[in-house]
Amino acid sequence: DHEWNVAKRDNPALAPAQIGQLASATHDTEEQLIVLGLCAWGLRRSELANLHVENVEVQAESPYLSFDTRKNGPGTVALIYGQDALEDRIAQLSDREEWNGYLFPSPDARRDPMTGETLNRRFKSIAARADVRVGGELPTSKMGRRFWYGAYADAVETVIERLQSVAQEQGSSDPMVVFRNYLSEEKRREYLRDTMHDRLAKAFEYDN
């Protein structure tokens, strides 16, 4: 009974091919940013809905998003893929009079910005247009975030596998020893960013 219950709680994620379908179905920069924010940056829908220009740092050598508070996660999120769309969105909104800095301003002038629920509905609308289903149902924003976690885990595994030969040269059977003890934090980050970028690019360009 216990094993059956665990299986029922399995959390489905979007597949790489479905990410490409979603990206191809977007109509404007706002929709592009919804798919990117959930699937390429791994943000929660509430974090993405409340994203403000002050959270964005694109002039750094390694662009990132920063947050004062973030549930169960780091205060910064690396912008590994999709930076151009983000900059296009900011430029587009900057031309509006009295722009409040939110990347997803609410269509209701009394509300700043759009809600996470509204963003989730927008995501489902894109999925319906792309004919993307998970288990026969339209995917939720959480499934985009789960794709990111899966892609990142795969990127870590790929980097570790590439270090296998280095570990063997040093007489070790565990490449994690090399990764943790002999690579600088900067070099680990570089390897992971490059590998993750390749995975994201492959997914987002899958349907193109």
Side-chain angles (χ1 to χ4, degrees), residues 18-64:
Q18 292 176 317
I19 300 299
Q21 289 176 259
L22 291 170
S24 294
T26 57
H27 283 167
D28 52 35
T29 55
E30 182 179 72
E31 291 190 346
Q32 289 174 20
L33 221 59
I34 289 175
V35 178
L36 285 166
L38 297 172
C39 306
W41 307 338
L43 299 181
R44 296 175 178 82
R45 66 188 186 191
S46 59
E47 293 172 337
L48 185 57
N50 285 278
L51 194 62
H52 193 277
V53 68
E54 292 183 355
N55 300 122
V56 180
E57 181 51 74
V58 294
Q59 301 303 320
E61 183 176 352
S62 298
Y64 62 91

Side-chain angles (χ1 to χ4, degrees), residues 93-100:
L93 292 171
S94 296
D95 290 336
R96 295 186 181 182
E97 292 185 8
E98 300 181 357
W99 178 45
N100 57 17

Side-chain angles (χ1 to χ4, degrees), residues 13-23 26 31-45 48 77-78 80-82 119 123 126-127 132 139-152 196-197 199-201 203-204:
L14 288 162
Q18 292 176 317
I19 300 299
Q21 289 176 259
L22 291 170
T26 57
E31 291 190 346
Q32 289 174 20
L33 221 59
I34 289 175
V35 178
L36 285 166
L38 297 172
C39 306
W41 307 338
L43 299 181
R44 296 175 178 82
R45 66 188 186 191
L48 185 57
V77 174
I80 297 175
Y81 184 88
L119 189 142
F123 182 69
I126 298 168
V132 169
T140 65
S141 55
K142 287 183 179 180
M143 294 178 186
R145 180 172 164 81
R146 289 170 190 156
F147 161 79
W148 183 92
Y149 272 102
Y152 191 79
M196 186 63 170
H197 180 275
R199 289 188 173 276
L200 291 173
F204 273 83

